[in-house]
Amino acid sequence: MNKLYLYILAFIVFMGMGASWVIEKANASHEIPIIKKVPNFNFTNQNGELFSNNQLKNKITVLDFFFTNCPGPCPIMTYNMKTLYNDFSSTDAVQFVSITVDPINDSIEVLKNYAEINGVNDQRWQFLTSELSKIKLLKQGGFMLFADDLPQGHAIKFILIDEDGNIRKYFDGTDEASLAILKKDISNLVKNI
């Protein structure tokens, strides 16, 4: 009976060590791969100012494509982006960029009003517009996202961009579990700036 007890005890200890190792590996800082460089672009923000890919440098950026009168996922995405915006309010190292896929209806004035409604009171969250052809080119060619049936056919992805302007990872902008991972990845990248 004592031998059986020792075998069971040894097995439990072994399993516990294995579980600890798995948890440690899961919590360890992991390397986020570089997918590709964000291409050059030069759009206009909600204040009528130019905003280009150069303004992605030296900051961690979360970028998405949306439109203000979207009846589908955009309100959820905007709410989730606003949550991240508020969560990282204590640092200027993190910024947020939302690019409209409906530039005909989302004028600069509409974007400015949308920003104000969502509590944006600083330069950390930019709402951008441009010509539809340029938006499509950036979305499909630059970010490798579907862009044929805009505005309805836009993606629900949040794109994580590092301080060197590299696309690092895509996240579901409507999923809480995906956003929890994004938040950790933002924090990890901020440590490297």
Side-chain angles (χ1 to χ4, degrees), residues 56-186:
L56 303 177
K57 303 286 182 175
N58 302 315
K59 292 189 182 283
I60 305 306
T61 304
V62 180
L63 183 145
D64 73 340
F65 292 88
F66 83 113
F67 62 110
T68 61
N69 61 357
C70 172
C74 293
I76 297 166
M77 293 170 63
T78 298
Y79 175 82
N80 289 335
M81 191 76 92
K82 182 179 176 180
T83 300
L84 290 168
Y85 170 78
N86 291 331
D87 288 346
F88 289 95
S89 63
S90 64
T91 178
D92 288 333
V94 182
Q95 68 179 350
F96 303 89
V97 176
S98 293
I99 302 174
T100 182
V101 292
D102 187 14
I104 293 168
N105 293 305
D106 288 344
S107 64
I108 291 169
E109 294 78 22
V110 169
L111 292 176
K112 185 173 182 65
N113 185 50
Y114 193 78
E116 288 171 0
I117 287 170
N118 283 287
V120 176
N121 54 16
D122 57 27
Q123 295 295 308
R124 293 182 307 111
W125 192 354
Q126 302 286 322
F127 293 84
L128 306 182
T129 187
S130 187
E131 297 167 24
L132 184 59
S133 60
K134 290 181 180 178
I135 293 167
K136 280 185 173 183
L137 185 63
L138 180 66
K139 189 172 189 281
Q140 194 162 23
F143 288 101
M144 304 174 295
L145 296 171
F146 182 77
D148 289 342
D149 188 26
L150 298 180
Q152 284 77 20
H154 71 89
I156 60 169
K157 299 296 183 192
F158 283 179
I159 305 154
L160 180 61
I161 302 166
D162 70 17
E163 73 279 6
D164 295 320
N166 296 308
I167 299 170
R168 298 298 289 268
K169 208 167 175 184
Y170 293 84
F171 298 85
D172 183 334
T174 64
D175 179 68
E176 285 185 33
S178 185
L179 294 171
I181 297 167
L182 170 57
K183 193 172 174 180
K184 282 184 181 179
D185 286 348
I186 292 169

Side-chain angles (χ1 to χ4, degrees), residues 24-34 160 168-169 171 180-189 191-192:
E24 183 180 318
K25 288 296 179 190
N27 289 333
S29 176
H30 61 282
E31 184 63 30
I32 306 167
I34 293 174
L160 180 61
R168 298 298 289 268
K169 208 167 175 184
F171 298 85
I181 297 167
L182 170 57
K183 193 172 174 180
K184 282 184 181 179
D185 286 348
I186 292 169
S187 296
N188 284 334
L189 288 178
K191 291 174 189 172
N192 297 327

